Amino acid sequence: MFQREFAQRLVACPGDKLYCRLSVNVQLLARVDHLMKIGRNNFRPPPKVESSVVRLEPKNPVPPVNFREWDAMLRILFTRKNKTLRASFINSKTVKLIDSNYRVYCSMKDVDVPSDFVMKDRIDSILESNNLNLVRPRTMSIDDFLNLLKCFNESNIHFA
């Protein structure tokens, strides 16, 4: 049993107003069902909030994803969930972070980074080649997020 708004966030679907990072993370790891609403009049003394009962069934097996990297990507995308993916990733701080991670990854794998390499252009090309540059996080399914992370990882771009 949870507070109603929290329960609605847990079960929110892509496109819903309450769809957020919490929704994506919980639904990645579990099947979530809203079972019933419980009114405040069922408690003594009555609380100031409504409640809901939610069923969480863990998925087995858990999707093979690096959860630190997954969460880092979702943090970037859901800071402003109504922005397009391109706008979220082209933010100067985000580009700087991703560029830093890319250079560390390349140095660990002994891959040379060209002197004229521009991370902003690399991000643009990844998003455009997968038709994701105009998509908004609030409308993406979990499979879309997994595909996005896979596309970045295949280009040696990591978020954690």
Side-chain angles (χ1 to χ4, degrees), residues 25 34 40 128 154:
N25 280 325
H34 184 269
R40 63 181 83 165
E128 286 178 22
E154 286 173 351

Side-chain angles (χ1 to χ4, degrees), residues 92-111:
S92 61
K93 289 182 182 178
T94 304
V95 170
K96 185 177 178 182
L97 173 73
I98 294 172
D99 187 58
S100 171
N101 289 349
Y102 177 76
R103 291 179 188 281
V104 168
Y105 179 83
C106 287
S107 69
M108 288 173 44
K109 299 292 183 182
D110 290 329
V111 175

Side-chain angles (χ1 to χ4, degrees), residues 67-85:
F67 294 106
R68 287 185 59 217
E69 190 166 359
W70 170 262
D71 193 51
M73 182 186 75
L74 290 181
R75 281 178 191 268
I76 291 169
L77 295 175
F78 278 98
T79 51
R80 301 286 296 226
K81 67 180 179 180
N82 291 324
K83 280 187 169 186
T84 62
L85 293 186

Side-chain angles (χ1 to χ4, degrees), residues 9 12 24 35 39 56 64 71 77 80 87 89 101 112 116 127:
R9 287 181 188 276
V24 175
L35 298 180
L56 296 168
D71 193 51
L77 295 175
R80 301 286 296 226
F89 283 119
N101 289 349
D112 290 331
D116 61 342
L127 293 175

Side-chain angles (χ1 to χ4, degrees), residues 10 12 19-32 56-71 73-74 141-147 149:
L10 288 176
Y19 190 64
C20 61
R21 207 173 100 219
L22 174 69
S23 310
V24 175
N25 280 325
V26 169
Q27 292 172 24
L28 174 73
L29 301 173
R31 191 170 143 242
V32 185
L56 296 168
E57 291 180 35
K59 289 184 180 177
N60 196 6
V62 176
V65 64
N66 178 338
F67 294 106
R68 287 185 59 217
E69 190 166 359
W70 170 262
D71 193 51
M73 182 186 75
L74 290 181
S141 68
I142 291 173
D143 291 335
D144 294 335
F145 286 114
L146 287 169
N147 183 42
L149 183 61

